[in-house]
Amino acid sequence: MEKTTSLVKKLKNKAASYEHLAHLTLIQGEMFGWDHTACAITYNKSIPGAESYLLHEFGHALKNHSGYKSDVGLVKIERDAWEEARIIGKELGISISDDLIESSLDTYRDWLHSRSLCPTCDATGIQSAELKYACASCGATWRVNEARTCGLKRYKY
Ligand SMILES: [Zn+2]
Ligand SMILES: [Zn+2]
Protein backbone atom coordinates (compact mmCIF):
# COMPACT_ATOMS: atom_id res chain seq x y z
CA MET A 1 0.00 0.00 0.00
CA GLU A 2 2.86 2.38 0.76
CA LYS A 3 4.30 1.45 -2.59
CA THR A 4 1.15 2.73 -4.26
CA THR A 5 1.29 6.01 -2.33
CA SER A 6 4.85 6.60 -3.40
CA LEU A 7 3.95 5.78 -7.00
CA VAL A 8 1.13 8.34 -6.84
CA LYS A 9 3.69 10.97 -5.83
CA LYS A 10 6.04 9.99 -8.63
CA LEU A 11 3.26 10.11 -11.20
CA LYS A 12 2.17 13.54 -9.99
CA ASN A 13 5.72 14.79 -10.52
CA LYS A 14 5.87 13.20 -13.92
CA ALA A 15 2.52 14.68 -14.95
CA ALA A 16 3.82 18.17 -14.22
CA SER A 17 6.17 17.91 -17.19
CA TYR A 18 3.33 17.33 -19.66
CA GLU A 19 1.26 20.30 -20.70
CA HIS A 20 -2.01 18.39 -21.01
CA LEU A 21 -1.48 16.76 -17.61
CA ALA A 22 -0.41 19.83 -15.68
CA HIS A 23 -3.69 19.76 -13.73
CA LEU A 24 -3.89 16.00 -13.32
CA THR A 25 -5.47 14.90 -10.07
CA LEU A 26 -5.24 11.44 -8.55
CA ILE A 27 -8.16 10.51 -6.34
CA GLN A 28 -8.70 7.44 -4.19
CA GLY A 29 -11.85 5.57 -5.06
CA GLU A 30 -13.33 2.13 -5.49
CA MET A 31 -12.33 1.54 -9.08
CA PHE A 32 -9.47 2.39 -11.35
CA GLY A 33 -10.34 4.90 -13.99
CA TRP A 34 -9.30 7.81 -16.14
CA ASP A 35 -11.67 10.70 -16.59
CA HIS A 36 -10.65 12.70 -19.61
CA THR A 37 -13.00 15.64 -19.00
CA ALA A 38 -11.93 16.07 -15.37
CA CYS A 39 -8.29 15.15 -16.10
CA ALA A 40 -8.41 12.81 -13.12
CA ILE A 41 -7.27 9.31 -12.32
CA THR A 42 -9.13 7.29 -9.73
CA TYR A 43 -7.30 4.48 -7.97
CA ASN A 44 -7.78 1.94 -5.21
CA LYS A 45 -4.58 0.96 -3.45
CA SER A 46 -6.09 -2.12 -1.80
CA ILE A 47 -6.61 -3.95 -5.10
CA PRO A 48 -3.85 -6.50 -5.83
CA GLY A 49 -1.67 -5.20 -8.66
CA ALA A 50 -2.61 -1.62 -7.80
CA GLU A 51 0.73 -0.23 -9.07
CA SER A 52 0.24 -1.88 -12.45
CA TYR A 53 -3.31 -0.62 -12.80
CA LEU A 54 -2.30 2.83 -11.71
CA LEU A 55 0.38 2.89 -14.39
CA HIS A 56 -2.25 1.70 -16.87
CA GLU A 57 -4.53 4.62 -16.04
CA PHE A 58 -1.57 6.95 -16.31
CA GLY A 59 -1.05 5.44 -19.76
CA HIS A 60 -4.57 6.51 -20.74
CA ALA A 61 -3.83 9.96 -19.33
CA LEU A 62 -0.54 10.31 -21.22
CA LYS A 63 -2.23 9.31 -24.47
CA ASN A 64 -5.09 11.64 -23.57
CA HIS A 65 -7.61 8.92 -24.38
CA SER A 66 -11.02 10.47 -24.61
CA GLY A 67 -13.33 7.78 -25.86
CA TYR A 68 -13.90 5.17 -28.49
CA LYS A 69 -16.31 4.76 -31.34
CA SER A 70 -16.51 0.99 -31.48
CA ASP A 71 -15.92 -2.02 -29.30
CA VAL A 72 -12.81 -2.94 -31.24
CA GLY A 73 -11.56 0.61 -30.68
CA LEU A 74 -11.94 0.11 -26.96
CA VAL A 75 -9.73 -2.96 -26.95
CA LYS A 76 -7.15 -1.03 -28.93
CA ILE A 77 -6.95 1.86 -26.48
CA GLU A 78 -6.73 -0.66 -23.62
CA ARG A 79 -3.71 -2.19 -25.31
CA ASP A 80 -2.16 1.24 -25.96
CA ALA A 81 -2.57 2.19 -22.31
CA TRP A 82 -0.77 -1.00 -21.24
CA GLU A 83 2.07 -0.27 -23.64
CA GLU A 84 2.51 3.18 -22.14
CA ALA A 85 2.23 1.71 -18.65
CA ARG A 86 5.10 -0.65 -19.39
CA ILE A 87 7.34 2.18 -20.60
CA ILE A 88 6.66 4.37 -17.55
CA GLY A 89 6.97 1.37 -15.27
CA LYS A 90 10.42 0.65 -16.67
CA GLU A 91 11.46 4.26 -16.00
CA LEU A 92 10.24 4.02 -12.42
CA GLY A 93 11.56 0.53 -11.75
CA ILE A 94 8.17 -1.18 -11.65
CA SER A 95 7.70 -4.20 -13.85
CA ILE A 96 4.24 -5.19 -14.97
CA SER A 97 3.68 -8.89 -15.51
CA ASP A 98 2.63 -10.11 -18.94
CA ASP A 99 0.04 -12.30 -17.26
CA LEU A 100 -1.66 -9.35 -15.66
CA ILE A 101 -1.80 -7.49 -18.97
CA GLU A 102 -3.00 -10.49 -20.94
CA SER A 103 -5.67 -11.43 -18.43
CA SER A 104 -6.89 -7.86 -18.36
CA LEU A 105 -7.05 -7.75 -22.16
CA ASP A 106 -8.69 -11.19 -22.21
CA THR A 107 -11.61 -9.91 -20.20
CA TYR A 108 -12.16 -7.32 -22.92
CA ARG A 109 -11.83 -9.88 -25.68
CA ASP A 110 -14.29 -12.24 -23.97
CA TRP A 111 -16.68 -9.41 -23.40
CA LEU A 112 -16.33 -8.26 -26.98
CA HIS A 113 -16.92 -11.75 -28.27
CA SER A 114 -19.98 -12.43 -26.14
CA ARG A 115 -21.76 -9.26 -27.14
CA SER A 116 -21.08 -9.83 -30.82
CA LEU A 117 -22.82 -13.23 -30.84
CA CYS A 118 -26.19 -13.24 -32.62
CA PRO A 119 -28.95 -14.02 -30.10
CA THR A 120 -30.91 -15.83 -32.81
CA CYS A 121 -28.37 -18.05 -34.57
CA ASP A 122 -25.10 -17.67 -32.63
CA ALA A 123 -23.13 -16.39 -35.62
CA THR A 124 -20.73 -13.53 -34.99
CA GLY A 125 -22.35 -10.24 -35.81
CA ILE A 126 -20.94 -6.97 -37.01
CA GLN A 127 -21.16 -3.75 -35.06
CA SER A 128 -23.35 -1.50 -37.19
CA ALA A 129 -23.57 1.48 -34.85
CA GLU A 130 -22.16 2.42 -31.49
CA LEU A 131 -24.51 0.19 -29.51
CA LYS A 132 -25.96 -1.92 -32.28
CA TYR A 133 -24.97 -5.19 -33.88
CA ALA A 134 -26.29 -6.94 -36.98
CA CYS A 135 -26.03 -10.58 -38.03
CA ALA A 136 -24.93 -11.20 -41.60
CA SER A 137 -26.24 -14.74 -41.69
CA CYS A 138 -29.81 -14.38 -40.36
CA GLY A 139 -30.38 -10.65 -40.53
CA ALA A 140 -31.13 -10.17 -36.82
CA THR A 141 -30.13 -6.93 -35.14
CA TRP A 142 -29.62 -6.34 -31.44
CA ARG A 143 -28.60 -3.61 -29.08
CA VAL A 144 -25.83 -3.82 -26.53
CA ASN A 145 -25.17 -1.95 -23.32
CA GLU A 146 -22.74 0.86 -23.08
CA ALA A 147 -19.27 -0.55 -23.30
CA ARG A 148 -17.57 -1.38 -20.06
CA THR A 149 -14.09 -0.06 -19.59
CA CYS A 150 -11.44 -0.06 -16.93
CA GLY A 151 -13.24 3.10 -15.92
CA LEU A 152 -12.55 5.30 -18.88
CA LYS A 153 -15.33 7.85 -18.91
CA ARG A 154 -16.77 8.36 -22.31
CA TYR A 155 -16.26 11.67 -23.91
CA LYS A 156 -19.58 13.32 -24.69
CA TYR A 157 -19.73 14.03 -28.38
ZN1 LIG B 1 -28.02 -14.54 -36.69
ZN1 LIG C 1 -7.88 1.05 -19.44
Side-chain angles (χ1 to χ4, degrees), residues 56-57 60 77-78 81 108 150-152:
H56 170 86
E57 299 309 332
H60 281 305
I77 63 171
E78 282 306 294
Y108 283 96
C150 63
L152 183 81

Side-chain angles (χ1 to χ4, degrees), residues 34-100:
W34 155 243
D35 186 335
H36 163 261
T37 34
C39 196
I41 287 172
T42 315
Y43 66 96
N44 181 345
K45 52 186 179 180
S46 56
I47 287 176
E51 286 85 39
S52 298
Y53 293 117
L54 187 52
L55 286 167
H56 170 86
E57 299 309 332
F58 196 77
H60 281 305
L62 269 184
K63 288 279 192 173
N64 211 12
H65 285 152
S66 60
Y68 48 86
K69 296 248 162 113
S70 69
D71 290 358
V72 177
L74 172 62
V75 176
K76 187 189 177 302
I77 63 171
E78 282 306 294
R79 183 174 282 289
D80 284 355
W82 280 121
E83 269 163 29
E84 287 298 315
R86 230 200 258 273
I87 296 165
I88 309 148
K90 209 169 245 176
E91 271 174 41
L92 300 174
I94 299 165
S95 68
I96 303 173
S97 85
D98 288 344
D99 287 356
L100 186 141

